[in-house]
């Protein structure tokens, strides 16, 4: 990188810094928005998560692309990180899906158990507990 | 008895990387998995737990202080980049200045963390009190250990290690770049930790 | 790169160092007095004060040695002075001052290290000693672990470091020996270190199993030999057998020993990409191994006895510190693996010589590449799970405690997310070793090299999404179990491709039946049996009957024992001439082979029968209490006799190994390529390879690794680095 290139980069770095600060303040401000009071299609938690994590993702992108020079790095590194994030998502999603399906008494049982539930041999709350327990 | 390892300083043509850079990116990939496992634990323990929000309210998390901490860490990140830029521009004193600020910010981060932890311990909130505290202390604690590691490496590069600038400047610049990648990753993790633990 | 040699008057520095050593020895005495003589407080204080005094004087002499390190010595002196003050006047000491001596030690050591490279080792040891003391002082303030008996023993660490620091500074020959043989950064010697340590652990793990098999054969709840070992001890042996064999034996052997030694040679590199990191990896593994072994010596408690899987809640609730040692040991081992895998990956990607493109790499290097990726990405979740379980045990958290909002299944998910890629780590390098040996001994190219490479990559990728086939019986719904069943069935395809390619490689070859080839050939059907018996386990419906039975034990032992371990033996016989310049004896090797093959099958084949009958794992009397096990109980004795026979045949190997190592060469001229192989490590290096940089002339590669029996050539092999 020539000196001239670097000089222009300095400006970029400081701009990214100010942007990150701005997003930090934004994310704190957004956390105070009462999503429950608006009549939104999904749960308020969903919106809080969506907005909060989107801002975090943007900040993360800024750090990795500019400070860590991921933009100017060869594709291979990019794919490596994408691969690990993919596995990460698998690690997060599968146990989540598991516990969700395990908590829904209708979706959770293996067929032979479900049959026994329907025949009345087994109480439907026996394996997962009743809804009041959760 | 030093063997000359190729591509330690100059980049290899087909990969475009020198050894340490590839090494640190691979290490960061494994760190993604580590913190990811922690976050996935957080998600699993929190969903469906009706007592979670009560514990959070009881924790009295100091959000302004945490925001300040976030800003301090981001500042340390940008000053780290500036120190690397100074080296590229052959400005050694600039490097010293910026690296010093980075170290100062990181120590400040830890000091604020110390007070945060102390506030919790003083009211008798330990990791064993509720799973929220367990997750909180584990994630921020592991992050803190990574910061301490970074401080040790950066301090070494700031003081005794900087002698390499006189003998092998390109290699030293590479070292700073590689240490910078680690430091930015630590910052990145905090950027995600901050909203998910403090705000949500 | 010429480092300037500082002319430190050795005598003064050494004298100061000697005093620090004495200080350390005194601290050790004080520790022993306190631990074993019931805390005679005044004697301890007296010894501690004298020790601090020695530290004070030692630091003074160090500071006098040379102007540049005067502050190093002075900080050590101040540290000693502060410690003296603390010991003499405890009642006036405010709390914070306890932390000062270690901090001063830390910085003092750093200054010594930074100023001088020759004696820097002592500086590093001093600062680590200070750091360790500091951590040990802070840790009880955060976690309530003061009551744990093992915690006291950790105080030995800074003391021992201090003793060594002083010792090192006094003796330059000791330093040379240390840097050449103990803290070597040469990948070949590190590979040998890994090999020696892991072979000792393999033997130890095997011995644990033999105790268990004796119990199973002759103490099935009857007779005078009742309670040879208690059921808890049986479980402890079983858990430690599994852990030691997998994490301390097989993986360090195939990745640490074979990988470290051969990968740089096979890609033409002078050493690994990060030699010092390599050394650090080995020593962290060693410490992890020591910690694991130490769990056997915990007073009044058993070692870890919750299975090698350490499932919660049993593991969290097990009493005594054995399980805690297991967890701490695992954290060290995982760290060692991570560092080692980064090293291998960077070496393969960056340090290949000119002409060595991806598709010209020996298959062994490809398997090491994918294995390192698996180790890199899969281990961290287990590290997280280990940390959580450690906190649950030690700090009273409730990560896995369902009564307080925790999740028991979470542990299983995190554990198996690693442990499934871990089993591919166990098998892939073995496949690589076998491929090399088969192609070499059939004198023809590997059949289907490209499909094998792509299958390995596919296998590596898929191994991350099959883990829950170990959890079919945890109450998952049909959606989840279908998903994992499908991925498990898919993952069998690439392994079949690789195995079939190896079988097909034999067709039309002129096969040489030397010892490595015998082991490699037998690997194929043995791994085949292991793999095929895995299929019913992968089908959720059949797994309902077979889960946690002896069928599973038979399946995975077939893959690892007559599978990977045979490949390890094959590799040792094959590469022994390269490492030492001498070839192992063929007759002893063949006896070793035939005996082991028969014994292995004798041990593990009956396990399928027992498993199908429904005999569960981890039963300390082998199923004696269960009616469904009655008919297959007689097999226990057969299996145990075969196990003892297996041990007996390993003696042939051990004798062969040492006898070959220690005898003088029969011929003065060493043949550097006795097997007439193509790969770089055989054709371009001496036997053993040069200590400094491996190659006299950096090789250039012109073709792939399997060019055997080319038409029109005079030789039946064509080395990679040969021009025409």
């Amino acid at each position: 990188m020539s000196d001239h290139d670097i000089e222009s980069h300095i400006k970029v770095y400081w701009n990214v810094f100010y942007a990150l600060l701005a997003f930090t303040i934004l994310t704190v401000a957004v956390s105070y928005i009462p999503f429950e009071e608006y009549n939104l299609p999904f749960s308020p938690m969903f919106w809080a998560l969506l907005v909060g994590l989107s801002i975090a993702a943007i900040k993360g992108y800024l750090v990795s692309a500019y400070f860590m020079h991921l933009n100017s790095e060869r594709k291979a590194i990019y794919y490596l990180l994408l691969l690990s994030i993919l596995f990460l998502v698998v690690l997060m999603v599968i146990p989540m899906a598991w516990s969700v399906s395990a908590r829904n008494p209708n979706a959770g049982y293996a067929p032979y158990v479900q049959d026994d539930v329907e025949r009345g041999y087994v109480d439907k709350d026996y394996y997962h507990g009743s809804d009041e327990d959760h | 008895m030093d063997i000359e390892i190729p591509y330690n300083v100059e980049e290899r043509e087909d990969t475009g990387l020198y050894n340490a850079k590839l090494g640190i990116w691979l290490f960061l990939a494994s760190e993604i998995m580590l913190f990811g496992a922690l976050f996935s634990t957080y998600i699993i323990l929190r969903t469906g737990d009706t007592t979670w929000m009560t514990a959070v309210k009881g924790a009295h998390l100091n959000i302004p202080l945490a925001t300040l901490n976030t800003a301090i860490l981001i500042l340390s990140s940008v000053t780290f980049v500036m120190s690397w830029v100074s080296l590229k521009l052959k400005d050694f004193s600039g490097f010293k200045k910026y690296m010093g600020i980075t170290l100062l910010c990181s120590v400040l981060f830890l000091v604020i963390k110390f007070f945060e932890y102390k506030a919790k311990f003083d009211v008798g909130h330990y990791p064993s009190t509720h799973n929220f505290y367990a997750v909180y202390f584990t994630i921020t604690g592991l992050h803190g250990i990574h910061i301490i590691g970074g401080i040790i490496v950066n301090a070494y590069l700031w003081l005794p290690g900087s002698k390499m600038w006189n003998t092998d400047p390109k290699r030293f610049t590479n070292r700073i770049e590689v240490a910078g990648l680690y430091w930015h990753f630590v910052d990145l993790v905090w950027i995600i930790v901050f909203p998910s633990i403090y705000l949500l | 790169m010429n480092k300037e040699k500082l002319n430190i008057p050795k005598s003064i520095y050494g004298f100061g160092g000697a005093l620090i050593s004495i200080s350390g020895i005194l601290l050790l005495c004080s520790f022993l007095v306190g631990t074993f003589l019931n805390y005679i407080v005044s004697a301890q204080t007296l010894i501690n004060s004298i020790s601090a005094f020695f530290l004070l004087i030692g630091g003074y002499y160090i500071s006098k040695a040379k102007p540049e390190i005067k502050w190093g010595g002075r900080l050590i002196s101040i540290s000693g002075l502060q410690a003296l003050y603390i010991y003499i006047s405890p009642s006036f000491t405010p709390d914070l001052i306890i932390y000062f001596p270690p901090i001063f030690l830390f910085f003092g050591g750093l200054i010594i290290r930074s100023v001088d490279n020759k004696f820097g080792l002592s500086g590093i040891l001093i600062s680590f000693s200070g750091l360790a003391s500091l951590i040990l002082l802070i840790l009880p303030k955060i976690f309530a672990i003061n009551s744990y008996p093992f915690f006291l023993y950790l105080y030995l660490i800074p003391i021992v470091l201090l003793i060594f620091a002083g010792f090192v500074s006094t003796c330059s020959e000791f330093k040379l020996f240390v840097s050449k043989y103990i803290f070597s950064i040469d990948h070949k010697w590190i590979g040998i270190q890994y090999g020696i340590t892991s072979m000792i652990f393999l033997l130890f793990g095997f011995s644990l199993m033999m105790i268990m098999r004796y119990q199973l054969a002759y103490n099935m709840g009857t007779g005078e030999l009742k309670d040879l070992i208690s059921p808890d001890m049986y479980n402890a042996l079983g858990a430690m057998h599994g852990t030691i064999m997998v994490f301390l034996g097989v993986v360090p052997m195939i990745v640490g020993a074979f990988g470290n030694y051969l990968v740089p040679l096979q890609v033409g590199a002078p050493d690994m990409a990060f030699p010092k990191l390599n050394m650090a990896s080995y020593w962290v593994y060693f410490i992890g191994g020591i910690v694991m072994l130490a769990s056997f010596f915990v007073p009044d408690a058993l070692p870890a006895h919750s299975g090698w899987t350490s499932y919660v809640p049993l593991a969290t609730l097990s009493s005594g510190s054995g399980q805690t040692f297991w967890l701490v040991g695992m954290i060290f081992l995982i760290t060692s693996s991570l560092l080692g895998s980064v090293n291998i990956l960077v070496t393969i990607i960056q340090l290949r010589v000119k002409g060595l493109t991806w598709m010209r790499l020996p298959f062994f290097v490809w398997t090491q590449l994918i294995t390192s990726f698996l180790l890199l990405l899969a281990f961290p979740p287990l590290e997280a799970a280990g940390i959580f379980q450690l906190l649950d045990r030690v700090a009273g958290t409730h990560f896995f405690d369902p009564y307080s909002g925790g999740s028991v299944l979470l542990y299983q998910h995190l554990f198996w997310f690693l442990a499934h890629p871990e089993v591919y780590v166990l098998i892939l390098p073995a496949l690589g070793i076998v491929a090399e040996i088969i192609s070499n001994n059939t004198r023809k190219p590997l059949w289907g090299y490209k499909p094998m490479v792509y299958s390995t990559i596919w296998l590596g990728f898929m191994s991350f999404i099959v883990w829950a086939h170990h959890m079919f019986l945890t109450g998952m719904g049909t959606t989840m179990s279908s998903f994992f069943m499908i991925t498990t069935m898919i993952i069998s395809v690439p392994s079949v491709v690789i195995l079939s390619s190896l079988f097909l490689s034999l067709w039309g070859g002129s096969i040489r039946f030397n010892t490595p080839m015998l082991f490699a050939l037998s690997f194929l059907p043995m791994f085949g049996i292991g793999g095929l018996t895995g299929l019913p386990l992968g089908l959720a419906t059949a797994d309902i009957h077979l889960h946690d039975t002896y069928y599973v034990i038979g399946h995975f032992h077939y893959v690892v024992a007559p599978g990977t371990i045979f490949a390890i033996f094959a590799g040792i016989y094959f590469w022994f001439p390269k490492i030492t310049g001498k070839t192992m004896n063929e007759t002893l090797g063949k006896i070793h082979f035939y005996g082991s093959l028969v014994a292995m099958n004798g041990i593990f084949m009956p396990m399928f029968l027992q498993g199908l009958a429904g005999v569960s794992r981890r039963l300390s009397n082998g199923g004696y209490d269960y009616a469904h096990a009655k008919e297959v109980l007689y097999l226990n004795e057969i299996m145990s006799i075969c196990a003892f026979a297996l041990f007996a045949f390993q003696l042939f190997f051990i004798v062969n190994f040492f006898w070959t190592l220690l005898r003088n060469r029969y011929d003065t001229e060493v043949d550097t390529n006795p097997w007439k192989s193509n790969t770089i490590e055989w054709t371009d290096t001496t036997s053993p390879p040069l200590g400094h940089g491996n190659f006299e002339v950096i090789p250039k590669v012109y073709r792939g690794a399997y060019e055997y029996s080319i038409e029109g050539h005079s030789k039946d092999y064509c080395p990679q680095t040969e021009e025409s």
Side-chain angles (χ1 to χ4, degrees):
Chain A
M1 280 201 217
S2 70
D3 281 4
H4 203 68
D5 275 343
I6 303 257
E7 297 277 348
S8 61
H9 276 238
I10 295 182
K11 235 184 166 350
V12 170
Y13 295 138
W14 283 108
N15 285 341
V16 167
F17 170 62
Y18 297 132
L20 284 169
L21 278 184
F23 275 116
T24 310
I25 302 193
L26 181 68
T27 202
V28 175
V30 158
S31 74
Y32 286 110
I33 296 181
F35 285 107
E36 311 82 62
E37 290 183 10
Y38 310 114
N39 224 337
L40 293 163
F42 300 103
S43 74
M45 190 61 191
F46 169 80
W47 288 107
L49 269 172
L50 183 68
V51 175
L53 290 179
S54 311
I55 300 183
I58 296 175
K59 290 165 77 177
Y61 168 73
L62 285 174
V63 170
S64 45
Y66 292 103
F67 287 169
M68 295 168 102
H69 304 115
L70 208 47
N71 266 349
S72 45
E73 209 65 75
R74 295 277 176 103
K75 288 280 177 54
I77 300 275
Y78 195 60
Y79 290 138
L80 164 74
L81 293 175
L82 228 53
L83 190 70
S84 26
I85 294 183
L86 174 69
F87 288 140
L88 189 63
V89 167
V90 166
L91 179 61
M92 286 206 202
V93 163
I94 302 256
M96 278 299 306
W98 190 304
S99 49
V100 164
S101 76
R103 241 173 243 122
N104 178 354
N106 295 324
Y109 292 134
Y112 51 95
V113 178
Q114 189 61 27
D115 292 339
D116 280 348
V117 169
E118 277 158 12
R119 288 188 204 115
Y121 297 149
V122 176
D123 177 26
K124 105 171 158 36
D125 296 325
Y126 180 77
Y127 288 102
H128 295 315
S130 72
D131 289 324
E132 291 100 56
D133 291 343
H134 291 300
Chain B
M1 218 208 80
D2 262 17
I3 305 172
E4 191 60 44
I5 309 266
Y7 308 118
N8 239 352
V9 180
E10 69 281 359
E11 286 103 8
R12 190 183 153 104
E13 305 81 45
D14 55 356
T15 58
L17 301 160
Y18 51 92
N19 295 346
K21 198 187 242 196
L22 179 62
I24 199 77
W25 274 117
L26 289 169
F27 176 66
L28 293 182
S30 84
E31 293 279 271
I32 293 178
M33 297 302 291
L34 179 65
F35 280 102
L38 293 177
F39 275 106
S40 116
T41 304
Y42 173 35
I43 296 175
I44 291 175
L45 289 179
R46 176 168 173 173
T47 50
D49 190 346
T50 45
T51 57
W52 193 272
M53 290 317 289
T54 343
V56 172
K57 288 195 181 51
H60 298 298
L61 291 168
N62 194 337
I63 296 188
L65 203 59
T67 317
L68 178 66
N69 242 358
T70 313
I72 290 176
L73 207 57
I74 299 178
L75 178 67
S76 77
S77 240
V78 78
T79 53
F80 203 115
V81 173
M82 294 313 298
S83 73
W84 174 71
V85 163
S86 312
L87 279 186
K88 278 245 170 240
L89 295 174
K90 309 274 192 275
D91 176 12
F92 190 67
S93 57
F95 157 75
K96 281 278 195 185
K97 175 179 77 168
Y98 280 115
M99 187 59 104
I101 302 179
T102 308
L103 278 170
L104 188 65
C105 288
S106 24
V107 172
L108 207 57
F109 180 90
L110 282 182
V111 167
I112 297 183
K113 262 253 145 296
F114 170 75
F115 282 116
E116 262 189 281
Y117 277 16
K118 193 164 166 345
K120 304 233 171 1
F121 289 151
D122 283 343
V123 266
H125 288 153
Y126 294 101
S128 48
T129 314
H130 184 270
N131 263 347
F132 165 71
Y133 293 104
V135 164
Y136 169 80
F137 279 114
T138 311
I139 293 187
T140 53
L142 205 63
H143 180 258
I145 293 179
H146 280 81
I147 296 240
I148 294 177
I151 290 180
I152 294 180
V153 168
N154 294 341
Y156 171 78
L157 289 171
W158 191 47
L159 285 176
S162 58
K163 270 192 226 48
M164 197 189 260
W165 177 250
N166 304 321
T167 51
D168 198 346
K170 190 150 194 301
R171 190 159 168 220
F172 185 66
T173 316
N174 285 347
R175 280 193 171 181
I176 297 295
E177 186 176 6
V178 161
L181 284 174
Y182 172 81
W183 190 254
H184 295 132
F185 179 77
V186 170
D187 184 25
L188 194 65
V189 169
W190 181 257
I191 285 177
I192 302 181
V193 164
F194 172 60
S196 45
I197 295 210
Y198 287 88
L199 300 179
L200 288 170
Chain C
M1 209 182 303
N2 269 330
K3 292 203 187 77
E4 302 166 348
K5 289 196 180 151
L6 286 184
N7 267 332
I8 294 190
K10 213 159 51 162
S11 52
I12 292 189
Y13 186 85
F15 183 59
L19 292 179
I20 293 188
S21 270
I22 296 177
S23 152
I25 294 175
L26 284 171
L27 278 177
L28 184 63
C29 294
S30 154
F31 177 86
L32 294 170
V33 161
T35 321
F36 295 111
L37 296 181
N38 289 327
Y39 299 100
I40 304 178
V41 176
S42 54
Q44 252 199 319
T45 314
L46 180 65
I47 301 178
N48 282 341
S49 317
I50 302 178
S51 153
F53 180 71
F54 271 100
L55 201 61
L56 173 66
I57 309 291
Y60 169 76
Y61 276 104
I62 288 181
S63 70
K64 277 273 163 275
K66 188 79 183 172
E68 279 87 354
I69 62 169
K70 67 172 185 261
W71 271 108
R74 282 179 187 171
L75 287 182
I76 295 179
S77 282
I78 296 176
S79 163
L81 189 61
Q82 290 165 331
L84 194 58
Y85 174 71
I86 292 174
Y87 290 129
I88 291 182
S89 56
S91 49
F92 296 122
T93 315
D95 255 300
L96 275 178
I97 200 175
I98 312 182
Y99 301 113
F100 282 18
I103 295 179
F104 275 81
L105 259 188
F106 177 68
F107 284 111
L110 274 186
I111 292 180
I112 295 179
R113 165 73 180 104
S114 68
V115 161
D116 179 65
N117 280 311
K118 238 162 79 95
F119 293 103
L121 182 61
S122 58
I124 283 252
L125 289 173
I126 292 178
S127 39
F128 275 1
S129 170
L131 191 63
S133 317
L134 191 62
I135 294 177
L136 287 171
L137 284 173
I138 293 182
L139 226 46
K141 301 281 178 194
I142 306 181
F143 301 118
I145 47 179
N146 246 339
S147 51
Y148 270 79
F150 85 94
F151 185 69
L152 282 174
Y153 293 96
L154 289 179
Y155 278 102
L156 284 170
I157 298 176
I159 297 175
V160 166
L161 286 173
L162 209 58
I163 297 176
F164 264 112
F167 194 26
V168 159
S169 68
T170 59
C171 176
S172 61
E173 275 97 45
F174 178 71
K175 232 184 74 59
L176 203 59
F177 175 82
V178 163
S179 67
K180 193 158 176 234
Y181 288 113
I182 302 187
F183 293 117
S184 167
I185 58 172
D186 180 4
H187 74 101
K188 298 186 287 299
W189 181 248
I190 294 178
I192 294 176
Q193 281 179 315
Y194 265 109
I196 297 174
T197 319
S198 56
M199 279 198 273
I200 294 177
F201 275 122
L202 281 172
L203 193 62
F204 181 62
F206 188 27
S207 316
L208 294 179
M209 173 40 78
M210 283 201 291
I211 302 177
M212 290 167 70
R213 279 253 59 108
Y214 185 84
Q215 158 99 348
L216 287 174
Y218 301 114
N219 184 31
M220 288 184 277
T222 61
E224 320 83 56
L225 291 170
K226 227 168 152 44
D227 290 338
L228 172 69
I229 47 178
S230 66
D232 269 340
M233 190 60 182
Y234 179 89
N235 279 335
L237 291 180
M240 292 311 287
H241 165 77
T243 313
I244 290 176
M245 291 305 235
V246 171
F247 291 109
L248 296 178
V250 175
V251 174
M253 189 62 165
I254 51 179
V255 178
F258 281 106
N260 256 323
Y261 200 103
L262 294 171
V263 164
L265 291 174
Q266 287 196 337
V267 299
D271 201 311
M272 288 284 235
F274 307 117
K276 296 201 187 97
L277 194 67
N278 208 4
M279 174 194 80
S281 298
Y282 172 73
W283 283 106
V284 175
Y285 154 66
F286 185 81
I287 295 176
I290 297 285
V291 171
M292 286 280 188
L293 284 183
S295 69
F296 279 99
F297 297 104
V298 177
D300 293 340
L302 284 172
H305 50 277
S306 313
W308 81 285
T309 51
S310 286
Y311 275 178
V312 297
L314 180 65
T316 332
L317 299 173
S318 68
S319 58
S321 336
Q323 181 69 21
T324 315
F325 270 91
W326 188 94
L327 292 164
V328 172
M330 281 306 292
I331 293 182
F332 279 107
L333 295 174
I334 295 174
T335 312
S336 159
S337 277
L338 279 176
L339 300 177
S341 60
V342 168
N343 224 339
I344 294 187
L345 283 169
V346 177
T347 307
I348 298 179
I349 298 176
Q350 292 275 109
L351 298 184
R352 285 167 294 139
V353 282
K354 222 165 156 44
L356 193 54
T357 60
W358 287 107
M359 285 302 167
R360 286 181 182 168
L361 281 175
F363 187 64
F364 177 74
V365 179
W366 268 112
T367 53
Q368 288 285 344
L369 181 80
I370 304 293
T371 306
S372 293
F373 262 115
L374 295 181
L375 288 173
L376 185 77
L377 295 177
F379 255 126
L382 180 63
E383 183 144 32
I387 293 176
F388 293 148
Q389 200 185 107
L390 194 61
L391 287 174
D392 268 13
R393 281 180 67 84
V394 162
T397 51
H398 305 287
F399 284 107
F400 303 127
D401 178 6
Y403 291 113
S404 309
S407 164
V408 166
L409 266 188
L410 174 66
Y411 178 82
Q412 292 199 20
H413 280 296
L414 290 174
F415 180 83
W416 286 114
F417 189 82
L418 161 82
H420 192 81
E422 174 71 21
V423 314
Y424 290 103
V425 164
L426 294 176
I427 198 59
L428 278 176
L431 287 170
I433 296 176
V434 166
E436 296 300 312
I437 296 177
I438 284 186
S439 70
N440 177 263
N441 282 304
T442 53
R443 313 310 292 167
K444 65 187 276 286
L446 266 187
W447 192 91
Y449 170 80
K450 265 210 181 141
M452 282 172 81
V453 168
Y454 289 128
S455 296
T456 313
I457 299 175
W458 180 13
L459 190 79
F461 176 77
M462 296 268 343
S463 68
F464 281 100
I465 49 179
V466 296
W467 79 87
H469 64 227
H470 301 271
M471 298 163 65
F472 276 140
L473 262 64
T474 53
M476 55 188 355
T478 44
T479 329
M480 278 289 128
S481 60
S482 312
F483 172 75
F484 282 108
M485 197 163 73
I486 294 174
T487 51
T488 310
M489 288 299 122
I490 296 177
I491 206 177
S492 64
V493 173
S495 24
V496 169
V497 169
I498 299 177
L499 195 66
S500 312
S501 302
L502 288 173
F503 266 116
L504 287 166
S505 301
L506 299 170
W507 179 265
S510 53
I511 304 183
R512 305 189 296 204
F513 288 98
N514 44 40
T515 313
M517 185 58 167
L518 285 173
F519 275 106
L521 277 177
S522 68
F523 171 90
L524 298 177
M526 296 292 105
F527 176 65
I529 293 177
L532 288 172
T533 52
L535 288 174
L537 295 172
L539 294 167
T541 34
D543 193 46
I544 294 172
H545 182 64
L546 298 170
H547 177 74
D548 262 355
T549 58
Y550 264 82
Y551 191 92
V552 178
I553 304 189
H555 155 71
F556 69 71
H557 275 97
Y558 255 99
V559 183
V560 181
T564 304
I565 297 193
F566 272 17
I568 292 176
F569 284 133
I572 296 178
Y573 282 105
F574 189 68
W575 274 292
F576 199 89
K578 175 51 62 179
I579 301 177
T580 59
K582 301 174 231 184
T583 319
M584 287 173 83
N585 182 283
E586 275 294 307
T587 320
L588 289 177
K590 289 193 163 80
I591 299 175
H592 173 217
F593 166 70
Y594 284 111
S596 302
L597 183 64
V598 172
M600 287 278 195
N601 279 291
I603 303 175
F604 300 117
M605 187 59 81
M607 286 192 180
F608 294 127
L609 297 172
Q610 288 201 325
L612 284 168
V615 181
S616 300
R617 289 169 82 158
R618 302 183 179 136
L619 295 175
S620 66
N621 52 17
Y624 180 78
D625 300 321
Y626 293 93
H628 58 250
K630 271 240 153 35
E631 284 160 29
V632 289
L633 223 46
Y634 71 97
L635 291 170
N636 276 337
E637 189 168 355
I638 300 178
M639 293 197 276
S640 299
I641 294 177
C642 290
F644 302 139
L646 183 64
F647 179 76
F649 279 106
Q650 302 320 301
L651 294 173
F652 285 95
F653 171 72
I654 297 174
V655 164
N656 194 356
F657 189 87
F658 283 108
W659 180 56
T660 320
L661 206 58
L662 297 170
R663 72 171 152 87
N664 293 318
R665 284 204 181 81
Y666 292 141
D667 38 4
T668 46
E669 193 57 46
V670 176
D671 184 0
T672 59
N673 192 358
W675 309 115
K676 302 290 174 266
S677 173
N678 281 338
T679 42
I680 305 180
E681 87 272 19
W682 287 109
T683 56
D684 283 66
T685 62
T686 52
S687 289
L690 292 175
H692 189 103
N694 291 337
F695 302 100
E696 285 214 11
V697 175
I698 298 184
K700 262 183 77 162
V701 167
Y702 297 94
R703 61 185 64 79
Y706 300 108
E707 303 293 321
Y708 290 103
S709 301
I710 314 287
E711 269 194 53
H713 268 68
S714 52
K715 306 193 296 245
D716 69 343
Y717 69 107
C718 193
Q720 282 191 285
T721 52
E722 203 175 83
E723 271 215 59
S724 55

